[in-house]
Amino acid sequence: MIYLSGIFSAFHAAVRTRTAQGAVAWTISLITFPYLALPLYWIFGRGRFHGYVAARRSGDLKIHNIATELRGRLLDAGGIDGAVTPSQQVLETLAGMPFTRGNNVDLLEDGGAAYGAMFGAIDEADDYILLQSYLIRDDDLGRDLKARLLRKARNGLAVYLLYDEIGSYGLPPAFGAELKAGGVRVCAFSTTQGPINRFQLNFRNHRKTLVVDGRLAFVGGLNFGDEYLGRDGQYGPWRDTHVYVSGPAVQAVQLAFVEDWYWAAHEVPELLWEPRKAEQGGKLALVLPTGPADYWDSCELFLLEVITTAKRRIWIASPYFVPDEQIIGALQLARLRGVEVRILLSKKADHFLVDWASYAHYPMAERAGIEIYRYDAGFLHQKVLLVDDTLASVGTANLDNRSFRLNFEISMVIWDRGFAGEVEAMLLNDFSASRKVVAGELDEKPLWFRFGVSLSRLLAPIL
């Protein structure tokens, strides 16, 4: 029965696995080692999150109507005047929402600035608060957040808190129970709900957003734990980036939260859906939610689009560098046509297998002249992209297969020369605190390390 199940699962993998490499690996493993491969495949092997109700993709009628009406309102409130460029049209198709003008977007570097702005917005909220985080800890920062949410709930505001149950596995039940008792709506994203998802542990909701009164939004790499303020001795200073947004784009962030909340709690919150231009905002912005329920591999296609259309430079900051062959090939081609390509990674690692897997891509990058830097001044966790002098992105997606295909992510894409200049100045400071990787660095490592790098590369699709 085990071997027959392995053969059946091998056929399933050959038909359903999203990449050819993954299909071959699973098929061989399931036929050769079914005792080991079967449970791993049915826990980690699926590439689509079946059952997730995403309104503008395939879901509930009420949310579908909200999304359809919102798209029209965004176009009226601040859509692009005239025809969009082909690249902008691609990004709008992937996002399911249009670029909008009239946005103000501020960079928030590191935890001090980000938490100060977020807590200030929470304290000044008048109507409702929507907060989503991959990780929440019951530490000083987490308890500070809890106290602020409880205070607003006691004042009569509608407060919603959504977290990933795997990312927040260490959160004690009493933390959520206290919030619920105080009137806060708390829910885990629950990727395992439903009989078909019961043993599916490979998907994560990695989004980190805050929406206040439908007027202000925050998106970026910061969760809620003391380490994000540099209070953890293991990682030291924590380098991260968030953005603070006002304007029509806030409504698209709100829609992404509502879709996730509907999956988790089976209800649609009553919210404000009238976009408003920011008083001092003129930036062109797009909200790009991506995830394993998408029809397309939206996260990877976004990156491929901006890489292949870049003319002068591509700078990417990410804690992890585990791309697939398509991304590596696109980066190599960009460099061969004269585009400056820089990848900024963290010297410190929070996952040694992911760190080792990144080394496997050094030789391919070096051959094309792609520059790789390792950040020396702490743990680098930001997810930032800069293309040429006009496009920048700040969000939650890493440069790895998990973000491309397995995680729910969200990115704020800003098409604005002034904002791109701010991101450039920020990244130049980061590069100045980094060490450039020299050619042949992997060859100088011990044999055991290089062997570990090779093994880690094989596990890259599920890391």
Side-chain angles (χ1 to χ4, degrees):
M1 288 299 298
I2 292 292
Y3 276 92
L4 287 174
S5 298
I7 293 172
F8 168 79
S9 298
F11 278 109
H12 186 276
V15 174
R16 297 297 183 89
T17 305
R18 286 176 117 164
T19 64
Q21 297 92 333
V24 170
W26 280 120
T27 299
I28 292 174
S29 301
L30 287 163
I31 293 175
T32 310
F33 309 107
Y35 287 93
L36 175 63
L38 264 175
L40 291 176
Y41 177 70
W42 290 106
I43 292 174
F44 297 109
R46 284 169 50 193
R48 295 280 185 192
F49 190 2
H50 299 288
Y52 173 83
V53 180
R56 64 177 178 266
R57 301 176 179 93
S58 62
D60 179 79
L61 181 60
K62 184 174 182 179
I63 304 182
H64 175 76
N65 291 338
I66 291 174
T68 301
E69 292 176 9
L70 179 59
R71 181 179 177 84
R73 289 175 178 176
L74 290 177
L75 288 170
D76 293 338
I80 299 177
D81 298 326
V84 298
T85 68
S87 188
Q88 289 169 341
Q89 185 176 20
V90 168
L91 300 189
E92 288 187 344
T93 300
L94 293 176
M97 287 287 150
F99 274 97
T100 58
R101 296 192 185 278
N103 298 287
N104 186 55
V105 185
D106 293 327
L107 274 176
L108 300 172
E109 296 185 40
D110 297 323
Y115 295 124
M118 285 192 283
F119 285 165
I122 289 172
D123 292 344
E124 296 176 5
D126 295 320
D127 194 3
Y128 59 84
I129 297 166
L130 313 176
L131 179 60
Q132 180 171 9
S133 186
Y134 172 68
L135 180 151
I136 301 174
R137 297 200 189 281
D138 186 16
D139 54 18
D140 289 343
L141 183 65
R143 288 188 286 272
D144 190 0
L145 171 68
K146 178 174 65 176
R148 293 172 188 272
L149 296 180
L150 285 170
R151 185 160 54 246
K152 300 308 289 189
R154 285 194 296 268
N155 291 339
L157 275 70
V159 182
Y160 297 83
L161 175 61
L162 181 64
Y163 64 93
D164 185 87
E165 74 278 14
I166 298 176
S168 300
Y169 67 92
L171 190 66
F175 188 97
E178 184 178 351
L179 284 166
K180 290 178 181 178
V184 178
R185 298 298 309 274
V186 181
C187 199
F189 184 69
S190 298
T191 57
T192 58
Q193 66 173 298
I196 194 172
N197 299 312
R198 183 63 57 197
F199 301 105
Q200 179 52 259
L201 303 178
N202 207 25
F203 299 125
R204 312 278 191 277
N205 196 314
H206 197 236
R207 294 171 182 168
K208 308 156 187 73
T209 64
L210 169 65
V211 177
V212 175
D213 296 337
R215 302 288 175 254
L216 305 174
F218 297 81
V219 177
L222 289 150
N223 292 292
F224 288 91
D226 282 348
E227 66 267 36
Y228 292 85
L229 284 169
R231 297 172 180 169
D232 189 308
Q234 179 180 355
Y235 299 111
W238 192 281
R239 177 70 189 91
D240 223 323
T241 302
H242 241 60
V243 286
Y244 173 26
V245 185
S246 56
V250 172
Q251 299 287 296
V253 180
Q254 181 168 277
L255 177 62
F257 178 92
V258 168
E259 290 179 347
D260 288 348
W261 183 264
Y262 183 83
W263 163 260
H266 312 293
E267 65 175 7
V268 180
E270 294 296 326
L271 306 174
L272 301 175
W273 293 104
E274 285 294 334
R276 291 184 183 178
K277 292 185 179 181
E279 292 182 1
Q280 299 178 346
K283 293 180 175 62
L284 187 64
L286 174 78
V287 177
L288 180 62
T290 60
D294 292 357
Y295 180 77
W296 308 98
D297 288 333
S298 304
C299 187
E300 183 172 43
L301 289 179
F302 160 64
L303 193 55
L304 285 171
E305 171 63 21
V306 298
I307 292 172
T308 54
T309 56
K311 296 179 175 60
R312 191 173 78 81
R313 68 174 169 195
I314 303 162
W315 293 358
I316 303 174
S318 171
Y320 315 127
F321 181 51
V322 194
D324 60 17
E325 292 183 1
Q326 290 189 89
I327 297 296
I328 280 288
L331 290 171
Q332 288 175 322
L333 285 172
R335 186 69 195 96
L336 292 175
R337 67 175 186 268
V339 176
E340 178 191 39
V341 181
R342 295 188 186 186
I343 308 295
L344 178 61
L345 308 173
S346 182
K347 179 182 178 180
K348 294 185 177 181
D350 59 344
H351 300 293
F352 78 92
L353 285 175
V354 178
D355 184 53
W356 284 7
S358 69
Y359 278 90
H361 299 283
Y362 283 10
M364 290 181 286
E366 292 167 358
R367 283 196 293 268
I370 296 170
E371 300 176 8
I372 298 177
Y373 294 79
R374 302 296 293 253
Y375 185 73
D376 281 334
F379 181 66
L380 182 136
H381 188 255
Q382 63 177 332
K383 303 93 167 54
V384 176
L385 169 71
L386 177 64
V387 180
D388 297 334
D389 298 318
T390 54
L391 187 144
S393 172
V394 177
T396 68
N398 296 308
L399 193 58
D400 62 6
N401 180 72
R402 173 160 290 283
S403 285
F404 294 162
R405 296 184 175 88
L406 300 175
N407 284 350
F408 291 88
E409 308 281 7
I410 188 167
S411 298
M412 183 67 65
V413 183
I414 302 94
W415 205 297
D416 181 85
R417 187 174 294 272
F419 185 81
E422 295 176 30
V423 172
E424 177 186 29
M426 179 184 73
L427 291 179
L428 284 174
N429 286 333
D430 292 332
F431 284 124
S432 69
S434 305
R435 178 186 64 83
K436 186 177 179 180
V437 174
V438 298
E441 188 166 312
L442 177 59
D443 296 333
E444 298 175 359
K445 297 289 185 180
L447 178 61
W448 66 266
F449 185 90
R450 284 179 279 147
F451 181 70
V453 166
S454 298
L455 289 179
S456 298
R457 186 184 181 187
L458 296 177
L459 297 173
I462 62 171
L463 289 177

